[in-house]
Amino acid sequence: MTQNKGLTFCIKSFGCQMNKLDTSLVASALKQAGFTQLDSVKNTDIVLINTCSVREHAETKVLSHIGHLQNIKEKHPRMIVGIFGCMAQRLGNELLENKTVDIVAGPSQIPQLPQLITEILKTRQQTIAVTDKIRTFDATLDARLEKFETVHDSDDKQIPNQAFVRVMRGCNNFCTYCIVPYVRGPEVSRPPHTIIEQIKRLAAEGVKLVTLLGQTVNSYEYKQGDKTYCLADLLEMASAIDGIGWIRFVTSYPAEKYFEPICRAMAGLPKVCNYLHIPAQSGSDNIL
């Protein structure tokens, strides 16, 4: 978009690998929209913070960062500050009470960020885009996210020859210690052919190591006709792609669902790393 040419942006990311992937997707979309990415917030037109709500400390760090931006914005009043991600979904309008913040967007609204930024550059009016009924599956939101992910892939070049590919969104577990189901919604598995085509494109770009991402990645399940695909099927299909040398997956929820097929895939597919990322939490059912 020519109207954005010459405008700069900077993204600060907090949280998990899922957040890092969202950050790279947003960066890719903004570059495609004509913005230029900078590493520093100084003299930047747009500053975005991708937030995490998993721990109170993570949110405190974001609030501290907003305070720092308030001082910068006093000297550069036309700077746009956007907060997106899990904390934005959780707090919503509370974040807009801080006059430093111009945009609030939830994880499901990241495809809208380029448009929200373009609009606010014209109107200079605070705006919010979050999901009202986060626990209800929204086919329109899901289709928008799927298109966004397919078009942009991962823009993260900090780790050469590595890439993250999301295979599912959300979570259906309501662990006492975890905010994820309340900010990222229910489990939704992406179509296997879409995932494999994405990995093929990454392999053609020189990617050697692919990490499959999901909040509970071992719960991946996609029904297509008479076939039900699980994570083990994805591992086998990804292993057949030329150019891919290693495959990992995170994060696995400690449950029996598809555990044996996944173990068999790890044992029988040389490209699948002998690596399990499982959260170690309390062993008490009452606490969990």
Side-chain angles (χ1 to χ4, degrees):
M1 297 182 184
T2 55
Q3 68 265 33
N4 299 323
K5 193 171 183 180
L7 294 174
T8 58
F9 74 95
C10 178
I11 305 182
K12 177 72 174 178
S13 186
F14 296 91
C16 64
Q17 298 294 352
M18 198 73 73
N19 267 22
K20 292 179 181 178
L21 176 57
D22 285 345
T23 292
S24 67
L25 293 173
V26 170
S28 175
L30 290 175
K31 290 175 185 176
Q32 187 172 313
F35 296 94
T36 300
Q37 186 170 10
L38 300 179
D39 295 328
S40 173
V41 300
K42 292 183 179 179
N43 301 316
T44 305
D45 298 304
I46 301 105
V47 178
L48 299 175
I49 306 177
N50 190 358
T51 60
C52 175
S53 279
V54 125
R55 298 180 183 88
E56 183 180 0
H57 180 61
E59 292 195 351
T60 301
K61 288 171 68 176
V62 170
L63 295 174
S64 175
H65 206 66
I66 292 174
H68 173 64
L69 291 174
Q70 181 178 353
N71 296 328
I72 297 177
K73 198 168 182 178
E74 288 175 359
K75 298 177 182 178
H76 305 281
R78 296 191 66 79
M79 183 177 75
I80 301 298
V81 175
I83 311 297
F84 71 101
C86 295
M87 183 178 174
Q89 174 64 44
R90 191 181 81 82
L91 295 181
N93 281 304
E94 288 183 39
L95 289 169
L96 287 183
E97 293 175 6
N98 189 319
K99 299 304 179 184
T100 305
V101 178
D102 300 290
I103 300 171
V104 173
S108 298
Q109 283 70 36
I110 59 173
Q112 298 173 239
L113 278 171
Q115 180 185 351
L116 293 173
I117 292 169
T118 300
E119 289 176 356
I120 205 167
L121 285 167
K122 298 175 183 177
T123 65
R124 297 289 163 174
Q125 297 292 320
Q126 287 180 310
T127 185
I128 183 170
V130 295
T131 306
D132 292 331
K133 298 179 179 179
I134 192 65
R135 291 305 305 160
T136 303
F137 174 73
D138 188 318
T140 301
L141 276 180
D142 184 66
R144 188 182 295 160
L145 282 166
E146 186 59 41
K147 181 179 179 181
F148 186 71
E149 194 125 15
T150 302
V151 168
H152 294 290
D153 287 331
S154 172
D155 192 58
D156 187 2
K157 300 295 188 294
Q158 293 182 354
I159 308 176
N161 304 321
Q162 299 189 36
F164 298 105
V165 174
R166 193 183 344 250
V167 301
M168 60 188 300
R169 308 180 187 96
C171 181
N172 288 342
N173 299 308
F174 288 85
C175 302
T176 302
Y177 56 83
C178 187
I179 193 74
V180 168
Y182 303 97
V183 292
R184 287 192 176 267
E187 283 183 8
V188 179
S189 295
R190 299 180 65 207
H193 66 276
T194 303
I195 296 167
I196 297 306
E197 285 303 314
Q198 193 171 346
I199 297 174
K200 286 180 179 178
R201 288 198 305 273
L202 291 167
E205 295 171 5
V207 169
K208 302 296 183 185
L209 168 60
V210 168
T211 301
L212 308 182
L213 288 184
Q215 302 295 158
T216 55
V217 70
N218 55 301
S219 297
Y220 176 87
E221 184 178 78
Y222 191 91
K223 295 181 180 179
Q224 192 170 38
D226 296 331
K227 169 74 173 176
T228 297
Y229 292 86
C230 68
L231 180 64
D233 295 307
L234 288 184
L235 294 174
E236 183 175 356
M237 294 161 72
S239 290
I241 298 174
D242 292 336
I244 296 297
W246 302 274
I247 304 165
R248 302 203 307 178
F249 53 93
V250 297
T251 293
S252 297
Y253 184 79
E256 293 183 4
K257 191 173 186 179
Y258 297 124
F259 181 72
E260 184 175 339
I262 292 170
C263 287
R264 290 185 181 278
M266 293 181 70
L269 299 170
K271 292 184 180 181
V272 179
C273 300
N274 295 326
Y275 172 89
L276 277 175
H277 186 276
I278 299 177
Q281 300 292 344
S282 172
S284 168
D285 288 343
N286 291 330
I287 291 176
L288 297 179

